[in-house]
């Protein structure tokens, strides 16, 4: 088996498996020798901001001279992006070596009557095997969906747990209230393990604190009131962070989105908790420069002058997107390239964008996916809520070129789906080559 065949098999798995119980994941990990027990793991859950918080933490650990693994999702262009060591995707060779070990175990499990692991279980197992092979010391581990029943929740003794902002998403699986979703996410808390959390939503906070008390876990809230923004540009934000762990720390975030202030503040506070608990003696400046050096794709990411990609794809993600665009607009012409997948409430997303942003023109397109929303359907919805010119172009490459023509000397925002962001990233890479 070669790398391409291994990737094709992993990508085919969702077609014939359903979500398994955690006992199945535990069996898989036991047969692999429990590689997760050989690393210091930071476990991260939440609705929005998980990936960004993970990226900030990974950057801080690397900046502090630690060997750090990062397991996150989804990937934008290549599956290796999900498994990073010192903030670089693993090689094709390491992917294949790790996959072959997991594949061998899967065959024996199925033969012994266990369920075939799901797509996400395989990816999680593969990450742990790869990190063990490379003797990674620290791992930043992002949950997939939820927390309590997530495959990653087989990790027994993380050094810290983190809960980012919690809001309504995947309600058909996690519950239809913030309380229910917070309860599922807080399922990653472990006995005696500190939890650092976004404390802005008091409804979610009550659930988190109740769970923390039950688990004897010391809780560290991070709130927007702790962050005082001093300067912002099209590409960065400077702010002063004041908490019980950080007194008047001046931090530069290399992104224009306001929500990255909270995400970075959560990461900084979490690292301070770990730094103190493990006596790492990492200096303040090392932590701050780790934030400044962070690179995270598809989250208000500037890819060309005046061209920004954002993967916001749920209600709160779109609210933050709208807020950021309004802060950056400054009287400039705003063009939008938009696409979505069928399971999202894309009409609500479109309405909120149109009501919150003064759009000059819109181009809608279709992602290469079986969950496609026709461009003409998206066009008709935009026309219900905006008087701006709306153009439907089904081919993403042609749609991007049309959007660039519409942009002129203004700004182009590409949003609505991480799949759209991934396809544009791939398009730009191919054109550069």
């Amino acid at each position: 088996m070669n790398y391409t065949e291994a990737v094709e098999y992993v990508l085919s798995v969702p077609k014939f498996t359903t979500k398994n119980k955690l006992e199945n994941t535990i069996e898989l990990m036991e047969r692999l020798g429990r590689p997760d027990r050989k690393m210091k793991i930071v476990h991260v859950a939440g609705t929005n901001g998980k990936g960004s918080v993970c990226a900030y933490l990974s950057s801080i650990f690397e900046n502090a001279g630690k060997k750090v693994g990062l397991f996150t999702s989804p990937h934008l262009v290549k599956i290796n992006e999900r498994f990073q060591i010192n903030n670089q995707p693993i090689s094709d060779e390491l992917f294949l070596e790790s996959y072959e070990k997991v594949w061998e175990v899967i065959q024996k499990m199925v033969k012994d009557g266990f369920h075939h692991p799901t797509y996400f279980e395989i990816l999680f197992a593969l990450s742990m095997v790869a990190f063990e092979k490379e003797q990674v010391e620290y791992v930043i581990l992002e949950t997939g969906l939820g927390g309590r029943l997530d495959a990653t929740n087989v990790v027994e003794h993380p050094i810290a747990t983190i809960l980012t902002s919690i809001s309504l998403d995947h309600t058909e699986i996690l519950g239809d209230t913030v309380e229910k979703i917070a309860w599922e996410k807080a399922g990653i808390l472990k006995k005696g393990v500190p939890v650092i959390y976004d404390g802005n939503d008091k409804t979610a906070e009550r659930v988190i604190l109740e769970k923390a008390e039950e688990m004897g876990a010391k809780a560290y809230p991070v709130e927007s009131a702790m962050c005082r923004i001093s300067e912002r540009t099209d590409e960065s934000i400077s702010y002063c962070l004041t908490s019980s762990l950080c007194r008047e720390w001046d931090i530069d975030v290399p992104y224009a989105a306001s929500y990255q202030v909270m995400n970075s503040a959560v990461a900084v506070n979490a690292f301070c908790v770990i730094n103190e608990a493990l006596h790492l003696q990492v200096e303040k400046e090392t932590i701050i420069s780790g934030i400044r050096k962070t690179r995270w794709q598809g989250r208000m990411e500037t890819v060309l002058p005046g061209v920004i990609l954002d993967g916001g794809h749920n209600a709160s993600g779109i609210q933050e997107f709208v807020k950021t665009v309004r802060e950056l607009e400054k009287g400039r012409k705003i063009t939008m390239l938009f696409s979505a997948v069928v399971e999202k409430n894309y009409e609500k997303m479109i309405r909120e964008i149109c009501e919150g942003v003064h759009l000059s023109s819109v181009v809608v397109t279709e992602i290469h996916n079986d969950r496609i929303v026709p461009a003409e359907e998206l066009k008709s919805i935009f026309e219900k809520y905006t008087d701006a010119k709306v153009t439907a172009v089904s081919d993403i490459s042609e749609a991007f070129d049309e959007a660039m023509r519409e942009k002129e000397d203004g700004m182009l925002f590409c949003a609505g789906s991480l799949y759209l962001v991934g396809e544009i990233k791939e398009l730009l890479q191919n054109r550069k080559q």
Side-chain angles (χ1 to χ4, degrees):
M1 182 176 286
N2 59 35
Y3 169 80
T4 302
E5 291 169 337
V7 172
E8 286 176 352
Y9 181 79
V10 173
L11 294 176
S12 76
V13 170
K15 296 174 185 173
F16 55 87
T17 60
T18 55
K19 187 173 178 63
N20 294 322
K21 293 182 178 178
L22 284 182
E23 289 78 6
N24 210 73
T25 315
I26 291 169
E27 182 68 24
L28 175 60
M29 298 305 288
E30 289 288 349
R31 292 183 181 222
L32 289 168
R34 291 303 302 227
D36 52 302
R37 290 175 179 161
K38 299 164 189 173
M39 296 164 267
K40 301 179 184 77
I41 293 176
V42 181
H43 202 184
V44 184
T47 304
N48 288 304
K50 298 193 300 291
S52 296
V53 169
C54 288
Y56 287 126
L57 276 170
S58 183
S59 182
I60 295 170
F61 272 104
E62 183 193 12
N63 206 43
K66 310 300 181 183
K67 192 165 188 179
V68 58
L70 171 62
F71 175 64
T72 187
S73 60
H75 62 276
L76 296 182
V77 179
K78 189 174 180 179
I79 199 168
N80 300 42
E81 295 168 24
R82 294 170 179 260
F83 326 94
Q84 299 189 22
I85 298 175
N86 286 355
N87 299 297
Q88 293 297 319
I90 65 172
S91 66
D92 293 356
E93 291 75 21
L94 180 56
F95 179 97
L96 182 57
E97 281 178 40
S98 305
Y99 170 79
E100 285 174 338
K101 182 173 181 179
V102 175
W103 164 256
E104 187 178 322
V105 167
I106 289 172
Q107 302 314 299
K108 292 177 181 175
M109 277 182 65
V110 172
K111 187 177 179 182
D112 291 342
F114 290 91
H115 292 293
H116 190 293
T118 63
Y119 172 68
F120 190 75
E121 280 179 284
I122 293 172
L123 295 177
F124 168 56
L126 198 156
S127 74
M128 294 296 103
V129 170
F131 296 155
E132 181 189 25
K133 281 179 180 289
E134 293 299 302
Q135 297 183 312
V136 163
E137 183 179 6
Y138 294 89
V139 171
I140 315 301
L141 182 64
E142 181 187 357
T143 59
L145 177 61
R148 182 176 63 94
L149 300 177
D150 192 77
T152 61
N153 207 26
V154 301
V155 170
E156 300 156 319
H157 303 292
I159 57 174
T161 57
I162 298 174
L163 294 173
T164 64
S165 69
I166 293 171
S167 58
L168 297 177
D169 195 24
H170 297 291
T171 52
E172 73 286 358
I173 299 169
L174 301 178
D176 56 2
T177 65
V178 168
E179 289 96 335
K180 290 177 182 176
I181 293 174
W183 186 79
E184 288 291 342
K185 306 281 187 185
I188 69 166
L189 271 63
K190 300 292 185 296
K191 286 193 179 299
V193 176
V195 55
I196 303 88
Y197 68 95
D198 183 320
N200 288 302
D201 187 308
K202 298 308 171 185
T203 302
E205 183 178 50
R206 283 192 294 273
V207 177
I208 294 165
L209 290 177
E210 185 179 322
K211 184 67 175 178
E213 184 176 358
E214 176 193 331
M215 303 303 289
K218 189 168 182 182
Y220 297 85
V222 183
E223 299 175 4
S224 55
M226 298 174 179
C227 309
R228 188 177 72 252
I229 295 175
S230 56
E231 186 181 357
R232 65 168 71 241
T233 71
D234 283 357
E235 297 181 357
S236 66
I237 300 176
S238 299
Y239 71 97
C240 180
L241 172 62
T242 301
S243 70
S244 61
L245 300 161
C246 319
R247 296 287 182 185
E248 301 289 322
W249 286 24
D250 292 317
I251 296 172
D252 297 315
V253 182
Y255 298 96
S258 296
Y259 58 78
Q260 293 294 8
V261 170
M262 265 304 297
N263 290 337
S264 61
V266 169
V268 168
N269 278 274
F271 189 86
C272 287
V273 171
I274 296 164
N275 196 22
E276 188 175 289
L278 300 186
H279 310 290
L280 300 182
Q281 299 182 319
V282 176
E283 298 293 330
K284 167 185 169 182
E285 284 308 316
T286 301
I287 299 170
I288 291 173
S289 65
I291 294 291
R292 193 165 51 245
K293 293 175 182 177
T294 304
R295 294 294 175 264
W296 190 233
Q297 297 190 84
R299 278 71 174 182
M300 279 294 173
E301 177 189 9
T302 301
V303 289
L304 291 170
V307 179
I308 295 177
L309 309 185
D310 188 64
H313 56 276
N314 56 31
S316 55
I318 290 298
Q319 286 169 11
E320 292 293 345
F321 169 79
V322 167
K323 180 180 175 184
T324 303
V325 174
R326 291 172 70 170
E327 289 165 347
L328 294 175
E329 186 177 7
K330 300 172 185 172
R332 289 177 284 195
K333 178 180 180 182
I334 301 296
T335 299
M336 177 149 210
L337 176 58
F338 184 91
S339 191
V341 292
V342 292
E343 69 268 23
K344 297 297 179 181
N345 189 343
Y346 46 88
E347 177 156 0
K348 184 180 179 184
M349 292 162 63
I350 290 168
R351 186 180 72 243
E352 290 190 6
I353 290 168
C354 292
E355 290 175 352
V357 178
H358 179 65
L359 296 170
S360 298
S361 57
V362 179
V363 179
V364 291
T365 189
E366 298 169 2
I367 57 171
H368 298 125
N369 193 296
D370 55 6
R371 296 138 70 197
I372 187 173
V373 180
E376 287 297 335
E377 181 182 342
L378 294 173
K379 179 176 186 288
S380 66
I381 296 171
F382 265 102
E383 288 174 337
K384 284 169 60 177
Y385 300 107
T386 181
D387 294 328
K389 175 186 175 185
V390 184
T391 308
V393 184
S394 58
D395 180 80
I396 285 184
S397 178
E398 294 174 12
F400 182 77
D401 291 339
E402 175 63 23
M404 289 294 288
R405 285 190 289 271
E406 292 287 344
K407 169 185 172 291
E408 297 176 343
D409 59 351
M411 298 189 77
L412 168 60
F413 292 89
C414 308
S417 168
L418 273 169
Y419 296 101
L420 173 67
V421 169
E423 293 200 30
I424 293 172
K425 295 276 291 186
E426 187 170 19
L427 171 70
L428 294 176
Q429 283 181 20
N430 291 340
R431 289 184 178 184
K432 188 176 181 181
Q433 290 168 1

